[in-house]
Amino acid sequence: MLDAQVFQRLGDFTLDTSLAVPAEGVTALFGRSGSGKSSLIRLIAGLGMPEVGTIRLGDTWLVDTRRRRWVPPHRRQLGVVFQEARLFPHYSVRGNLRYGMPRASRDAFDDLVDLLGIGHLLARTPGRLSGGEARRVAIGRALLSCPRMLLMDEPLTGLDGARKQELLHYIRRLARDTGVPILFVSHDTREIGALADRVALIEEGRVMASGPVDEMFARLDLGPRTGRFEASSLIEARILAHDQALCLTRLALPGMEAGEALSVARLEGAVGDAVRLRLRARDVGVAPSGAPPLPDVACIPATLREMGDEAHSPFVEVMLDVGGQALRARLSRDAIAQMELQVGHALQARLRSVTVSRHDMVVVT
């Protein structure tokens, strides 16, 4: 586990916060540009020294300003991946991967190359790599240093949609297959939804809230901080079947009755695999319980769990319970009045297949 409690003045900006990162899975440090994400991760990596504070990795004190302890970056056992790949241009991919690699990593080299899908790139120089390929090589180099934790500072910035999805896939596999905990810095809720197990929300130099990713997405009080227009929920579903002829995958969502399914664009997972969906609040409809079904719409039994209080808005965000998971919806005040909605009411949550983007789905098992 990583524990950081630091204070640092940076011109007019002050970083004064605490962060705890578990010893497993992916923890996302999330916040808008200028919130202090990169400043905090630089202190953890040893690329700066806090004025006051401590940073501890497991039982090892990396920083303790009161006792004048400071471990230099190369001895912190942290793998760091930045927005830029920062590869050595005069080395091949193989040379970059082996640079500084300890003897203990030699046996893991081939397995990691296979995991990252970069075996065919080993003889190339960085100048002949795409952005996504270069960042996979940078991730491989960081992991081959035998880190106790991997720090990733917005590694997907600047990639196009296809390359971003490709790298998300590899990072998710790394978290699952290597056991190395990851601190992933991002300002993009889609990246967070696809990767994170836990989220720490940073704002104006302070971590304001943290917790499991689904619980953080479900908190209506955090809406103004996370970007209300893209307010969303994370729901776990399972693959029921694939329809090759129609290029569709059928998903079972929590609370769905037998025989019901949500049809989405074809996924690569196997039948029975778990899939994480990011569903935008503006794409979730609500109807009274027992309302007749509609074509191409999945109807899920739901209970109204919570209603927001946006006093000066024509819309209200509500939280539904669907099979024990939280699902967010945005409704007009007119709809709320017509249905006479109150907390505890039994309802239907309605999802149109076409509103679920391939980029908002990730197979997690």
Side-chain angles (χ1 to χ4, degrees):
M1 176 174 178
L2 176 79
D3 181 78
Q5 301 183 47
V6 295
F7 175 87
Q8 177 83 340
R9 283 184 292 255
L10 302 163
D12 295 333
F13 179 80
T14 299
L15 182 70
D16 184 7
T17 197
S18 299
L19 175 69
V21 182
E24 59 183 11
V26 180
T27 299
L29 184 60
F30 172 70
R32 296 186 173 115
S33 296
S35 60
K37 305 184 301 298
S38 293
S39 298
L40 178 54
I41 207 167
R42 286 178 62 83
L43 293 181
I44 294 170
L47 302 178
M49 177 75 169
E51 294 176 38
V52 180
T54 60
I55 301 174
R56 182 167 54 89
L57 181 62
D59 296 328
T60 305
W61 291 94
L62 304 180
V63 176
D64 186 337
T65 56
R66 187 170 64 85
R67 294 183 174 89
R68 297 185 178 180
R69 293 178 180 172
W70 188 78
V71 176
H74 65 280
R75 293 180 50 207
R76 293 197 176 193
Q77 292 183 279
L78 297 170
V80 185
V81 179
F82 297 98
Q83 292 181 23
E84 308 84 18
R86 301 191 182 186
L87 302 176
F88 298 115
H90 55 293
Y91 284 177
S92 67
V93 166
R94 186 187 298 275
N96 271 278
L97 290 171
R98 291 188 178 277
Y99 183 86
M101 185 180 76
R103 186 182 298 272
S105 290
R106 291 181 180 177
D107 292 341
F109 184 89
D110 290 339
D111 288 341
L112 185 60
V113 166
D114 288 342
L115 182 63
L116 288 167
I118 54 177
H120 64 295
L121 304 175
L122 292 177
R124 294 188 191 178
T125 56
R128 296 172 57 205
L129 302 178
S130 69
E133 290 170 343
R135 291 186 206 188
R136 274 190 278 156
V137 174
I139 292 169
R141 184 175 62 181
L143 285 170
L144 286 168
S145 69
C146 293
R148 295 172 63 185
M149 179 172 289
L150 190 61
L151 311 180
M152 307 187 79
D153 188 6
E154 306 227 32
L156 307 181
T157 297
L159 297 181
D160 61 35
R163 301 291 79 75
K164 181 176 291 190
Q165 287 301 307
E166 177 184 77
L167 200 53
L168 280 170
H169 166 75
Y170 284 112
I171 295 171
R172 187 75 209 176
R173 285 188 63 193
L174 287 173
R176 184 184 65 203
D177 296 347
T178 67
V180 177
I182 297 174
L183 177 59
F184 182 88
V185 176
S186 179
H187 64 274
D188 189 326
T189 56
R190 291 170 296 183
E191 296 174 9
I192 302 299
L195 283 176
D197 300 300
R198 294 180 58 83
V199 178
L201 173 64
I202 188 168
E203 184 178 86
E204 297 180 354
R206 294 176 179 268
V207 172
M208 308 297 294
S210 63
V213 63
D214 54 344
E215 293 181 11
M216 292 289 286
F217 270 65
R219 286 181 55 177
L220 294 180
D221 61 307
L222 296 180
R225 292 187 169 102
T226 58
R228 187 171 300 279
F229 182 72
E230 281 297 320
S232 53
S233 313
L234 294 180
I235 296 291
E236 190 164 294
R238 291 210 169 265
I239 296 178
L240 281 179
H242 297 295
D243 189 323
Q244 302 286 359
L246 298 178
C247 301
L248 295 174
T249 293
R250 316 288 186 188
L251 299 179
L253 273 69
M256 271 187 169
E257 297 180 4
E260 293 276 335
L262 174 67
S263 297
V264 298
R266 177 75 163 82
L267 294 175
E268 294 302 321
V271 171
D273 279 354
V275 179
R276 183 184 289 177
L277 305 179
R278 189 181 76 96
L279 302 173
R280 288 177 290 271
R282 56 194 170 96
D283 292 334
V284 178
V286 172
S289 179
L294 297 173
D296 204 29
V297 174
C299 300
I300 312 169
T303 302
L304 182 56
R305 192 171 85 179
E306 184 182 356
M307 297 178 66
D309 184 21
E310 293 91 297
H312 303 292
S313 171
F315 303 102
V316 175
E317 286 189 9
V318 303
M319 197 63 68
L320 308 171
D321 185 290
V322 291
Q325 298 190 59
L327 179 62
R328 196 178 210 144
R330 180 176 293 119
L331 307 178
S332 68
R333 291 186 179 277
D334 185 43
I336 289 174
Q338 288 188 39
M339 289 187 284
E340 299 179 343
L341 294 186
Q342 294 182 17
V343 171
H345 275 184
L347 300 165
Q348 277 184 12
R350 295 190 156 188
L351 305 175
R352 295 181 64 218
S353 298
V354 295
T355 64
V356 183
S357 166
R358 188 190 300 273
H359 300 311
D360 293 323
M361 299 182 285
V362 60
V363 178
V364 295
T365 59

